[in-house]
Amino acid sequence: MRRPFVRALARPLVLAAAAAAIPLVSAAPAAPAVADGIVVGGFPIEAADSPWTVALSSRDRFGGMRSGQFCGAVAVGRTTVLTAAHCVGEDVLGSPPGEVGDLKVIAGRTDLRSAEGQEIPVRETWVNPEYDGISNAGDFAVLTLAEKLPENAVIGMAAAGDPAYAADTRATVYGWGDVTGAGDYPYSLRAARMRVLSDALCEEAYPGGADGTYRADVMLCAGERVGGRDACQGDSGGPLVAQGRLIGLVSWGSGCGRPGSPGVYTRVSDVIQKLGWERAT
């Protein structure tokens, strides 16, 4: 079945509801060397080691147990955050994002039960008008924050032609989503190592129909050929990072960590092009 990652249908990966220059490259740290232990097939990580990984929150909509977290997001400017378009749809939030009074970005918080870090209100939400909820093409939105994030909480983005997009490149995805594919949501931030996969693999896995349609011009294929490491429900909008640069936003897939069903990410080079951010170097 098709899921975007609040991952619901061939799933966007969003959690289901319980009731300013923009750098193209930066010295953002590469994923630290942490042993794999337990995103699906991942390991725990501190927010300080990926300060640009932030959570979208609405306690009114999703409850307070996990700080209201329902999606991931990534800081690409001190007041500019990218997330998945499907994360801020009315079907997820219950109303237009501008009418959600407690929509916030949580930064610098490893454990969602804690009060560490910042909770910053979202001042403005811009959703890609070309987003197609059927194919999941163009699955990105830009959030403008009411307060600035720290300077080190920003990651650079990989423009078109960057070698970070090459197949077999090692990459890491970050989030607070389901760690098993069975509704097991952690309180603390996780990461999973994987590889950028060839477009051909995702074109074969998602040729069209119920499981979705892969488009190489706007999407990126990542995971492991044998499955086991993947983003999952609740990770939508979170970052996929390779060679210290943002290359993808968690978007959709079929199941979580299944062999033959890689994760599909919004291709960040397409986001840069659509928003005209090539000039912001």
Side-chain angles (χ1 to χ4, degrees):
M1 112 183 126
R2 248 191 81 258
R3 44 127 184 163
F5 281 142
V6 172
R7 283 189 196 203
L9 295 174
R11 40 151 205 188
L13 301 184
V14 179
L15 192 65
I22 310 299
L24 298 189
V25 294
S26 79
V34 181
D36 282 8
I38 211 177
V39 202
V40 171
F43 54 89
I45 191 169
E46 294 294 318
D49 293 323
S50 58
W52 19 263
T53 302
V54 299
L56 291 191
S57 163
S58 170
R59 288 178 174 81
D60 288 348
R61 178 71 168 161
F62 296 93
M65 185 176 294
R66 300 172 71 255
S67 296
Q69 186 270 342
F70 63 96
C71 263
V74 56
V76 295
R78 294 188 68 186
T79 59
T80 306
V81 166
L82 291 177
T83 191
H86 72 259
C87 284
V88 289
E90 283 191 51
D91 54 339
V92 173
L93 294 177
S95 58
E99 297 178 12
V100 180
D102 72 333
L103 183 60
K104 295 179 180 179
V105 159
I106 300 176
R109 181 170 300 173
T110 301
D111 189 325
L112 295 171
R113 296 168 295 185
S114 77
E116 67 179 337
Q118 297 172 271
E119 295 195 13
I120 303 177
V122 175
R123 188 179 72 201
E124 183 179 345
T125 302
W126 181 90
V127 180
N128 177 20
E130 297 179 14
Y131 169 56
D132 180 353
I134 302 300
S135 69
N136 297 317
D139 189 13
F140 68 91
V142 182
L143 310 180
T144 303
L145 306 184
E147 303 168 18
K148 288 184 177 180
L149 292 163
E151 289 185 12
N152 72 340
V154 174
I155 190 169
M157 298 177 289
D162 193 296
Y165 291 107
D168 212 39
T169 300
R170 294 182 183 275
T172 306
V173 65
Y174 302 83
W176 290 266
D178 187 351
V179 297
T180 65
D184 297 317
Y185 295 97
Y187 289 107
S188 293
L189 182 62
R190 303 274 182 172
R193 295 193 185 92
M194 57 185 63
R195 295 180 184 273
V196 176
L197 299 176
S198 71
D199 292 323
L201 282 175
C202 272
E203 288 168 348
E204 180 179 357
Y206 307 114
D211 273 353
T213 304
Y214 181 79
R215 283 182 45 187
D217 58 331
V218 298
M219 299 173 186
L220 184 67
C221 189
E224 294 291 341
R225 290 174 177 81
V226 297
R229 297 180 187 178
D230 197 1
C232 200
Q233 202 73 24
D235 289 321
S236 283
L240 179 69
V241 176
Q243 300 180 357
R245 297 180 291 283
L246 180 68
I247 61 170
L249 304 174
V250 178
S251 183
W252 64 283
S254 180
C256 301
R258 295 176 182 170
S261 298
V264 182
Y265 295 76
T266 300
R267 186 178 289 265
V268 166
S269 59
D270 180 64
V271 175
I272 292 169
Q273 188 275 324
K274 291 273 197 317
L275 295 175
W277 283 355
E278 299 100 328
R279 298 184 297 273
T281 56

